[in-house]
Amino acid sequence: MIEVKKEIGIPKYKQIINAIENAIENGLLKKGNQLPSINTIKNNNKLSRDTVLMAFNELKNRGIIESIVGKGYYVISEDINVHQKIFLLFDELNSFKEDLYNSFLENLEDTIQVDIFFHHFNEAIFKKLIKDNAGSYNYYVIMPANLENTSKSIQLLPDDKVYILDQVPEDLVAYPSIYQNFEKSIYKNLTKASGFVSKYNKINLIFSEEKQPKGILKGFTQFCEQSTMPFEILSTVKETPLIKGELYVLLDDISLLRIIKKMKSQNMTLVNDIGVISYNDTLLKEIVEGGITTITTDFNEMGKRLAKMILNKEQDKVENPNKLIIRNSI
């Protein structure tokens, strides 16, 4: 089934791949079937072990075969059109991460398969997902969020196959990345909105240390101190009554919904009683309560740029653009 010919202009490892692909396409190999052993192919064709292993590793990275310790290699997929596989590890799925994901897929080639995973800000899950999938993909896109010591896990992966997304901790700065500069973003955009912000008696940041980028806290504090604006950091809005004349900066959609619900229960209205600035723009924020002011990055651009970096094997560090969208909430 696997015959390697000399001097036909096709690398020997590629001939092995082609032979296995042809066997799958013609029904001679099906999902669950075992492949001939590395030694069998090596001896029958007078090849080096490394040549056979190179072919098997490429098929393994494409998700067509897998190795089982002590048993050998087996066919796990009959989709031979998949030429590359990408491991994509997000912190969580929300509407803007979905935009990023869809943009990423739309700008990749059809022969590339993307498998998405979520660590949900859990360090143990993060470590396990990377450990279990090391060596099984052509590229790894990692969104570490604010987890600490992630470099220990990521070191299990090939340096030139890793891309860091969104937040880049200090121990991961050597890797190519597309990132948001959260500290600069919130400071710059609150400064742009200072004419609106200054109308309020106090500004409150709803900040979760577990999930939110630390750069936001730093940039927010810097803005408030330099503008001498009274401010407070709150971990939640659940138990705290809204105070008339205060502005609330919200980093997740659940906090926004809670603020709006609480505002209505206290017979308040936006601008007249309180102000709201939300992070990350969505279609909902264009509409709800006449429009919510947002500080946002372009997640479609992030997905598009990420696809381009992988397709072109770029090793750059790219800051994704952000902007302030003024609407009727401040």
Side-chain angles (χ1 to χ4, degrees), residues 192-200 247 277 324 326-327 330:
K192 280 185 179 180
S194 57
F196 296 93
V197 171
S198 61
K199 298 186 301 183
Y200 295 92
L247 174 66
I277 297 175
L324 172 72
I326 300 289
R327 297 196 181 106
I330 58 174

Side-chain angles (χ1 to χ4, degrees), residues 2 5 12 20 26 29 33 37 48 70 99 104 107 118 149 157 173 176 179 188-189 212 305 311 328:
I2 298 176
K5 299 178 181 179
K12 293 174 183 177
I20 292 172
N26 295 326
L29 277 176
N33 288 169
S37 70
S48 71
D99 289 342
F104 182 49
N107 287 280
F118 302 94
N149 301 317
L157 308 174
V173 294
Y179 65 94
K188 179 187 74 174
N189 287 301
Q212 306 299 346
R305 188 68 182 87
L311 290 174
N328 298 323

Side-chain angles (χ1 to χ4, degrees), residues 86-276:
I86 297 175
F87 174 89
L88 180 61
L89 181 55
F90 276 7
D91 45 19
E92 62 181 358
L93 184 63
N94 47 41
S95 58
F96 37 91
K97 301 280 176 60
E98 188 173 358
D99 289 342
L100 192 166
Y101 174 68
N102 289 334
S103 175
F104 182 49
L105 292 185
E106 288 169 5
N107 287 280
L108 290 173
E109 297 170 355
D110 293 339
T111 56
I112 298 177
Q113 175 181 317
V114 178
D115 294 339
I116 187 169
F117 303 85
F118 302 94
H119 59 73
H120 301 290
F121 305 94
N122 184 304
E123 186 177 344
I125 294 175
F126 180 91
K127 290 179 178 179
K128 186 176 190 305
L129 285 171
I130 290 180
K131 182 179 179 181
D132 290 350
N133 289 283
S136 298
Y137 290 84
N138 300 93
Y139 294 100
Y140 298 82
V141 179
I142 311 292
M143 186 179 284
N146 56 5
L147 295 176
E148 297 181 354
N149 301 317
T150 53
S151 61
K152 292 181 180 179
S153 296
I154 294 175
Q155 283 171 1
L156 297 173
L157 308 174
D159 289 348
D160 60 341
K161 303 297 183 183
V162 174
Y163 291 84
I164 306 300
L165 199 58
D166 208 34
Q167 294 187 62
V168 183
E170 289 185 6
D171 57 346
L172 298 179
V173 294
Y175 291 98
S177 60
I178 302 181
Y179 65 94
Q180 294 190 65
N181 188 327
F182 290 98
E183 180 180 344
K184 183 175 79 173
S185 170
I186 193 165
Y187 176 82
K188 179 187 74 174
N189 287 301
L190 285 177
T191 301
K192 280 185 179 180
S194 57
F196 296 93
V197 171
S198 61
K199 298 186 301 183
Y200 295 92
N201 302 322
K202 182 181 174 185
I203 181 170
N204 303 285
L205 175 68
I206 314 304
F207 184 86
S208 166
E209 290 188 4
E210 178 187 355
K211 293 185 176 183
Q212 306 299 346
K214 294 177 175 60
I216 287 181
L217 183 60
K218 190 173 180 181
F220 174 81
T221 304
Q222 182 185 7
F223 167 79
C224 294
E225 289 177 346
Q226 287 188 3
S227 62
T228 66
M229 181 83 176
F231 69 97
E232 187 173 357
I233 312 297
L234 304 172
S235 60
T236 179
V237 294
K238 275 185 179 180
E239 310 300 330
T240 308
L242 302 181
I243 307 298
K244 186 173 181 177
E246 296 191 359
L247 174 66
Y248 296 84
V249 178
L250 312 171
L251 305 181
D252 60 76
D253 290 353
I254 291 177
S255 294
L256 175 61
L257 294 175
R258 284 176 177 157
I259 284 277
I260 293 173
K261 182 178 179 181
K262 195 180 289 284
M263 179 184 74
K264 292 183 181 298
S265 69
Q266 294 182 221
N267 295 316
M268 290 182 172
T269 59
L270 287 177
V271 182
N272 291 328
D273 297 305
I274 65 166
V276 166

